Structures are given as structure tokens and as C-alpha cells.
């Protein structure tokens, strides 16, 4: 089956050394792929590159991003705006920074809806209520009237997820989506992503430095070092038979390969 996303990219900032160096990656339809690596290896750069947002940061990008039968690198900016948010959603790691503190939750959801939809007030409300319900959030009028400061960090992250999934994108990019959450909320959010993948048939690129969260969610794991993928295998194979020295180093850095991670690795394979 043709993958939903297949890319080969190199990228650098301001003519300096490459941040992405001939990076190749594929994501299947309905697949959850984990991307792990140390801070500064280029994980967030890759997320922005897929959305064609790197030039805003004075970056040079070359290569191809084949998504759903099109090379995103060949699209105009106007065409990319129709892709961002509708066909590819993005969830960032700092929900309180990503949400506008001056706007109510309902207003921000409505803005996200209007970018790609037209319809009656009733149709808009129906879609917003559905998005909040999919993110396990209350959809009473009182919640729509809240400001971000009136939300917990976990609720704010779920609002971002609701906004990202509002138009049922084919691909959801999650850039360290659990890093600012406590352990219990992290577990809930990981389970929510699993639920959304099953319910909406969305492919997910789950970027994280937390190898255990990735093992608990993803079918395959790509290991990134110095702007390149050094190993990409099924979760089970990566945990039980790592091939690259850097992957082996990551696993040795864990206190142990916990039993739950081993079971999750087998279940996700």
C-alpha cells in the first residue's frame, strides 16, 4: 500500500550546517509512528518542515514531501494553507503558549473552523461540540466561554487536540504533546491519541523524547540522531533487538526495559 507520507529532506538555518541531512521517513495510512531522539537532533524542525513552515524561520529546505499523492514542496503557499489544519493537524507541547490568552475557548475553536469550513451556525456548533467530545472535554456552553487561564494544563492540551482534529485530518503531527503534563495526564493523553486513531482513522507522527510513552502508543519507532533517521523498526523489534549503537544507548539509559513497555511493544507490533 502506498504510504500516506513519504519524505526525503535536508534543511539548514541561515546557511549553517544541516539540521536535517537527507532524512527519509514513511508513515502508513492509519499508522502511529513514534519519532525519538535527543534534544537538538532536529525532531521539531522535521515537524515544521512537513508543514512547510521552516522558511519563516530563515531556513533552506530541499527534497520531497509526498503526502496523499502530492509533493508538498511543489505547492504554492495558498495551496499549503488549505493543507495545514485541514489535511495535516499539529499539536504543540506548550498548550498555554499555543492558545490565545485573550480569547475564549469557543472563539478560538470557531476561528479554526472558519478557516476551512462554511456553513450555518448550527452546523458550526455541531462540529465544535463533536470535536470537544472526541477530545473528552465538556461541551456545555460554560466551557466555550472559558479563557485559557481558567483551564488546567491537561484541559488546554485537549483543546489543542480538539482544534487539530476539528477537520478530521489524514495526518496528525504531535510535537512533544505530553512533555508539560503530569504522569497521570500523560497516560490519559496517550490513550486519547490511540482512541482518535481508531475512531477517525488518522495517521499520527508522535514526536517525543520519552521512549516509554512512544513504546506504549506506536506501532513503529524511528530513531533520530544528528538530523537523520538511524533506525526505524517495529516497536517490538526495536526494544528487543536494537541494531544501531545510538538506539542501544537510548535503551541503556532507561533504568530497565520495564515489563509494561515490553508488553506494549509486543501489542503495538
Amino acid at each position: 500500500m502506498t504510504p500516506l507520507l513519504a519524505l526525503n529532506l535536508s534543511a539548514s538555518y541561515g546557511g549553517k550546517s544541516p539540521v536535517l541531512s537527507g532524512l527519509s521517513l514513511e508513515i502508513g495510512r492509519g499508522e502511529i509512528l513514534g519519532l525519538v531522539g535527543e534534544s537538538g537532533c532536529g525532531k521539531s524542525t522535521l515537524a515544521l518542515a512537513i508543514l512547510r513552515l521552516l522558511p519563516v524561520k530563515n531556513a533552506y529546505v530541499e527534497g520531497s514531501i509526498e503526502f496523499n499523492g502530492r509533493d508538498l514542496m511543489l505547492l504554492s503557499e495558498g495551496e499549503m494553507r488549505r493543507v495545514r489544519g485541514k489535511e495535516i493537524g499539529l499539536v504543540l507541547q506548550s498548550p498555554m503558549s499555543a492558545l490565545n490568552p485573550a480569547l475564549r475557548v469557543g472563539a478560538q475553536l470557531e476561528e479554526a473552523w472558519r478557516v476551512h469550513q462554511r456553513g450555518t451556525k448550527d452546523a458550526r456548533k455541531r462540529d465544535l461540540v463533536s470535536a470537544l467530545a472526541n477530545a473528552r472535554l465538556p461541551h456545555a456552553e460554560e466551557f466555550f466561554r472559558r479563557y485559557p487561564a481558567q483551564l488546567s494544563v491537561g484541559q488546554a492540551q485537549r483543546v489543542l487536540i480538539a482544534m487539530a482534529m476539528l477537520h478530521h485530518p489524514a495526518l496528525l503531527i504531535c510535537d512533544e504533546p505530553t512533555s508539560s503534563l503530569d504522569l497521570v495526564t500523560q497516560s490519559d493523553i496517550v490513550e486519547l491519541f490511540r482512541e482518535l486513531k481508531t475512531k477517525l482513522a488518522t495517521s499520527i507522527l508522535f514526536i517525543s523524547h520519552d521512549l516509554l510513552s512512544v513504546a506504549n502508543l506506536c506501532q513503529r519507532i524511528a530513531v533520530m540522531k544528528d538530523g537523520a533517521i538511524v533506525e526505524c523498526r517495529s516497536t517490538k523489534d526495536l526494544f528487543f533487538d536494537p541494531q544501531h549503537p545510538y538506539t542501544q544507548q537510548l535503551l541503556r539509559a532507561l533504568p530497565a526495559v520495564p515489563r509494561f513497555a515490553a508488553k506494549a511493544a509486543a501489542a503495538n507490533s
Side-chain angles (χ1 to χ4, degrees), residues 120-158:
T120 65
K121 182 179 179 180
D122 287 344
R124 181 176 71 243
K125 188 62 174 289
R126 183 172 60 249
D127 287 349
L128 299 188
V129 166
S130 176
L132 289 179
N134 284 338
R136 300 184 193 166
L137 283 168
H139 41 270
E141 193 59 38
E142 182 274 334
F143 190 82
F144 282 94
R145 291 198 300 268
R146 291 188 193 178
Y147 288 97
Q150 296 173 302
L151 305 176
S152 68
V153 176
Q155 285 178 321
Q157 189 63 286
R158 288 174 188 274

Side-chain angles (χ1 to χ4, degrees), residues 1-23:
M1 182 182 294
T2 304
L4 175 69
L5 178 74
L7 57 83
N8 189 295
L9 288 176
S10 294
S12 60
Y13 293 105
K16 298 179 180 179
S17 299
V19 180
L20 304 180
S21 182
L23 185 147

Side-chain angles (χ1 to χ4, degrees), residues 55-234:
V56 177
K57 292 196 168 189
N58 191 32
Y60 173 75
V61 186
E62 63 178 355
S64 62
I65 308 171
E66 296 287 341
F67 173 72
N68 235 353
R70 294 164 296 170
D71 186 350
L72 300 185
M73 292 290 286
L74 302 180
L75 299 187
S76 67
E77 177 57 24
E79 290 170 322
M80 272 306 302
R81 285 176 185 154
R82 291 190 285 273
V83 171
R84 297 184 196 115
K86 185 175 184 180
E87 298 182 53
I88 304 177
L90 175 66
V91 178
L92 298 170
Q93 64 178 307
S94 302
M96 291 306 189
S97 299
L99 292 173
N100 188 331
L103 292 179
R104 298 180 191 272
V105 167
Q108 297 188 58
L109 286 166
E110 286 181 9
E111 280 191 359
W113 186 87
R114 291 177 193 276
V115 170
H116 298 293
Q117 293 283 6
R118 295 291 182 271
T120 65
K121 182 179 179 180
D122 287 344
R124 181 176 71 243
K125 188 62 174 289
R126 183 172 60 249
D127 287 349
L128 299 188
V129 166
S130 176
L132 289 179
N134 284 338
R136 300 184 193 166
L137 283 168
H139 41 270
E141 193 59 38
E142 182 274 334
F143 190 82
F144 282 94
R145 291 198 300 268
R146 291 188 193 178
Y147 288 97
Q150 296 173 302
L151 305 176
S152 68
V153 176
Q155 285 178 321
Q157 189 63 286
R158 288 174 188 274
V159 169
L160 284 187
I161 294 170
M163 292 172 69
M165 295 301 297
L166 186 55
H167 304 290
H168 297 182
L171 174 65
L172 182 65
I173 299 174
C174 304
D175 188 6
E176 301 276 7
T178 61
S179 63
S180 61
L181 307 175
D182 61 75
L183 291 176
V184 173
T185 309
Q186 283 183 24
S187 178
D188 288 344
I189 293 296
V190 165
E191 185 57 37
L192 174 59
F193 285 129
R194 194 196 321 276
E195 199 175 277
L196 290 171
K197 177 257 184 183
T198 301
K199 183 176 182 179
L200 302 177
T202 299
S203 298
I204 299 176
L205 175 59
F206 189 83
I207 301 170
S208 179
H209 64 275
D210 184 353
L211 195 52
L212 299 184
S213 290
V214 170
N216 197 34
L217 176 67
C218 302
Q219 295 152 292
R220 288 191 303 139
I221 299 176
V223 180
M224 189 171 181
K225 180 173 174 57
D226 298 332
I229 302 299
V230 297
E231 186 166 0
C232 185
R233 309 176 72 199
S234 74

Side-chain angles (χ1 to χ4, degrees), residues 28-44:
R29 297 176 187 276
E31 178 184 25
I32 305 180
L33 175 71
L35 180 65
V36 299
E38 62 195 3
S39 297
C41 71
K43 300 190 299 296
S44 294

